[in-house]
Amino acid sequence: MHTATEAASVLEPVVQKTAPKKVINAWAMYDWANSAYNLVITSTIFPAYYEAITSRRDDAGNVIRDQVTFLGRTFVNTSLYTYALAIAFLIVALISPLLSSIADTRGNKKTFMAFFLTMGSLACAGLFFFTPNYPHFLFLGIVCMVIACIGYWASLVFYNSYLPEIAAPEDRDRISARGFSYGYVGSVLLQIVCFIFVFFPGILGGGQKGNYIEFQASFLAVALWWFGFAQLPLRRLPRPVVSDRPRGALLSGYQELRKVFGQLTHIPVLKRFLTSFFFYNMGVQTVMLAATLYGKSELRIPTTNLIIAIVMIQLIAVPGALLISRLSGRIGNIRALMVCVVFWIGCCIAGWALPVGGIYEFYGLAAAVGFVMGGIQSLSRSTYSKLMPVTRDTTSFFSFYDVTEKIAIVIGMFSFGFIIELTGSQRASVLSLVGFFAAGLVGLFFTLKKQRAEVKIQN
């Protein structure tokens, strides 16, 4: 076991001043590039398209069959979707320590970032063939969805770890919020292009029954957008700081996670923050990943209105992230996060109570979720970067953060899908998320309490 002195002795300063503006903007541009995947594939067009082509409905629009067969087992189509995403996140959680170890020891995190964003882009392009016109289309669609998810989230392990290397502590809230803001703006711009494809399919020669070219073109557009705009950060981001750990130890990433876990014993505020983050992030990410399917299949919101609501979320998230960043400057990061979590609890209860077909009520909930969605993600990332010790092994610390995040998502998504199959309703799944947020809120309260105690000792 390391003593506090021993733990501190291995730490070295990483950044004393913020990088030039062109580097900061290039870093934020990766959010611009990859958020197209998050909006079109995760949140809007793909989930609604998936639910539509894997369900059978009567003339009144009621679902008469929502089951699919995958690998010899019958699933509720929405449950299969959540299980597949949970498996993707589990894979990311398992491989990211290995990859981050190699990136830290060899200083090639940019290479890994490029590999995974390319893999994710190609998988999005593969969804071009996800139509009933192709044999084994469901297998192809699920596999491409999983690979794209792995590519997106694995690339973020390396992207996030650049933040403490290019930004001084006092600038990290602002720069983290800039990245999310770039992401929301960029994703909405591509979403508009995809809207044109979907609402005016005739320009692509579509619009006839059995022709899905408007959706196929949307998935291909995401691939090109993601890969194309990602080239700017790959060119301008600096060469990563190389750790002084021995090279060639493939399992050192997992050993580093254990070492980071050991260091948390001597950093009680960070330990409590990560515990609370683990719980409230289950709720945040599950809502974001399952919202479209919930609106489509449970609330029966028409696809057009559903997409409008999701875009509304993206637009409101931009000022939301900036305002919550300012709020944290006034009342502190932990208190601001507590405000966000209370807001999320209210959103879940409101979502559970929404009436079937309540379009305007759904719009109102979308506006509320959008306001707090970007802020809680941005503030969580910057809070972690400020609470973590200064160290050259930034990727290992952010790998620990990302593994915590991904395991939370795995539990959240499996729980959501299991409750759907158990109760036959997504409403019960939505209400169960309140428990995750409540546990996170309690954790933040104890984090704040410990932080105050440490400040008193220092003074």
Side-chain angles (χ1 to χ4, degrees):
M1 179 180 295
H2 297 283
T3 65
T5 303
E6 288 171 336
S9 67
V10 299
L11 304 177
E12 299 178 40
V14 173
V15 59
Q16 300 298 325
K17 61 180 182 179
T18 298
K21 186 176 181 179
K22 70 175 184 178
V23 174
I24 299 300
N25 288 338
W27 178 82
M29 277 300 295
Y30 186 62
D31 252 315
W32 173 289
N34 67 39
S35 292
Y37 159 83
N38 215 17
L39 180 57
V40 177
I41 306 298
T42 299
S43 302
T44 57
I45 293 179
F46 180 78
Y49 174 69
Y50 167 88
E51 195 275 341
I53 67 172
T54 57
S55 300
R56 288 186 182 179
R57 298 178 181 270
D58 58 23
D59 293 338
N62 299 313
V63 175
I64 58 177
R65 180 175 175 78
D66 62 356
Q67 294 183 325
V68 294
T69 300
F70 184 76
L71 297 179
R73 185 183 184 278
T74 300
F75 297 86
V76 175
N77 57 353
T78 51
S79 291
L80 175 61
Y81 183 92
T82 59
Y83 291 153
L85 285 178
I87 289 172
F89 286 115
L90 181 60
I91 292 172
V92 173
L94 292 174
I95 66 174
S96 61
L98 173 65
L99 300 176
S100 63
S101 172
I102 298 172
D104 265 345
T105 56
R106 298 179 183 273
N108 59 354
K109 70 174 70 176
K110 190 187 295 187
T111 301
F112 280 106
M113 182 175 156
F115 172 80
F116 282 107
L117 72 88
T118 301
M119 183 180 80
S121 300
L122 291 174
C124 290
L127 289 174
F128 183 88
F129 302 101
F130 180 52
T131 77
N133 299 327
Y134 292 91
H136 310 296
F137 78 97
L138 181 63
F139 179 82
L140 173 67
I142 293 296
V143 169
C144 285
M145 181 181 78
V146 168
I147 292 175
C149 182
I150 293 171
Y152 172 79
W153 287 99
S155 70
L156 288 185
V157 172
F158 307 101
Y159 167 67
N160 286 336
S161 69
Y162 267 105
L163 181 59
E165 293 187 10
I166 64 172
E170 64 272 16
D171 292 328
R172 288 176 192 170
D173 285 349
R174 174 180 58 83
I175 291 172
S176 180
R178 180 182 298 187
F180 277 100
S181 298
Y182 271 44
Y184 290 126
V185 174
S187 61
V188 167
L189 290 177
L190 182 64
Q191 182 71 83
I192 292 173
V193 174
C194 294
F195 279 167
I196 296 173
F197 293 161
V198 172
F199 297 145
F200 304 98
I203 64 176
L204 298 173
Q208 299 84 24
K209 185 176 181 180
N211 189 327
Y212 305 95
I213 188 61
E214 62 270 29
F215 301 103
Q216 295 172 284
S218 297
F219 305 149
L220 187 59
V222 170
L224 296 174
W225 182 281
W226 185 2
F227 181 80
F229 282 109
Q231 302 312 303
L232 179 62
L234 290 179
R235 285 199 304 267
R236 289 189 177 177
L237 283 174
R239 182 179 179 83
V241 178
V242 180
S243 168
D244 56 5
R245 292 204 312 265
R247 297 165 62 99
L250 291 178
L251 298 181
S252 64
Y254 304 99
Q255 295 167 356
E256 284 299 307
L257 287 187
R258 187 171 63 179
K259 190 171 89 173
V260 170
F261 183 79
Q263 290 184 19
L264 290 178
T265 304
H266 309 293
I267 317 173
V269 174
L270 181 59
K271 181 179 179 180
R272 285 167 172 76
F273 169 72
L274 275 175
T275 302
S276 58
F277 170 74
F278 177 78
F279 284 105
Y280 72 70
N281 188 62
M282 285 187 199
V284 172
Q285 296 295 338
T286 302
V287 169
M288 292 171 59
L289 292 167
T292 301
L293 289 180
Y294 179 68
K296 180 71 174 176
S297 60
E298 187 71 29
L299 302 180
R300 300 178 191 172
I301 304 296
T303 300
T304 300
N305 301 102
L306 190 64
I307 293 176
I308 291 172
I310 298 298
V311 172
M312 182 188 302
I313 288 175
Q314 305 300 312
L315 293 174
I316 295 176
V318 177
L322 297 175
L323 288 174
I324 290 174
S325 175
R326 291 185 180 181
L327 177 66
S328 70
R330 291 179 175 269
I331 66 175
N333 287 39
I334 304 301
R335 289 189 184 89
L337 284 170
M338 292 175 71
V339 171
C340 291
V341 172
V342 170
F343 203 89
W344 272 105
I345 291 174
C347 289
C348 287
I349 295 173
W352 169 77
L354 282 182
V356 173
I359 294 174
Y360 294 106
E361 293 90 340
F362 191 75
Y363 283 165
L365 181 60
V369 168
F371 180 80
V372 76
M373 181 179 72
I376 197 168
Q377 293 181 90
S378 172
L379 193 57
S380 296
R381 179 171 65 183
S382 61
T383 299
Y384 180 75
S385 72
K386 291 198 292 187
L387 291 177
M388 64 181 273
V390 287
T391 174
R392 290 187 181 277
D393 293 340
T394 57
T395 309
S396 291
F397 268 87
F398 268 95
S399 178
F400 193 92
Y401 176 84
D402 283 303
V403 168
T404 301
E405 180 183 47
K406 302 310 175 294
I407 293 176
I409 295 173
V410 170
I411 295 173
M413 294 300 285
F414 266 117
S415 299
F416 197 89
F418 179 74
I419 293 173
I420 291 174
E421 292 200 305
L422 192 65
T423 66
S425 170
Q426 293 187 57
R427 289 185 186 270
S429 295
V430 169
L431 192 61
S432 70
L433 298 178
V434 172
F436 297 145
F437 283 114
L441 182 62
V442 171
L444 287 172
F445 172 78
F446 284 107
T447 302
L448 181 62
K449 185 177 180 181
K450 185 63 178 178
Q451 191 177 53
R452 286 173 174 173
E454 289 194 353
V455 170
K456 287 182 180 179
I457 292 174
Q458 292 172 2
N459 293 335

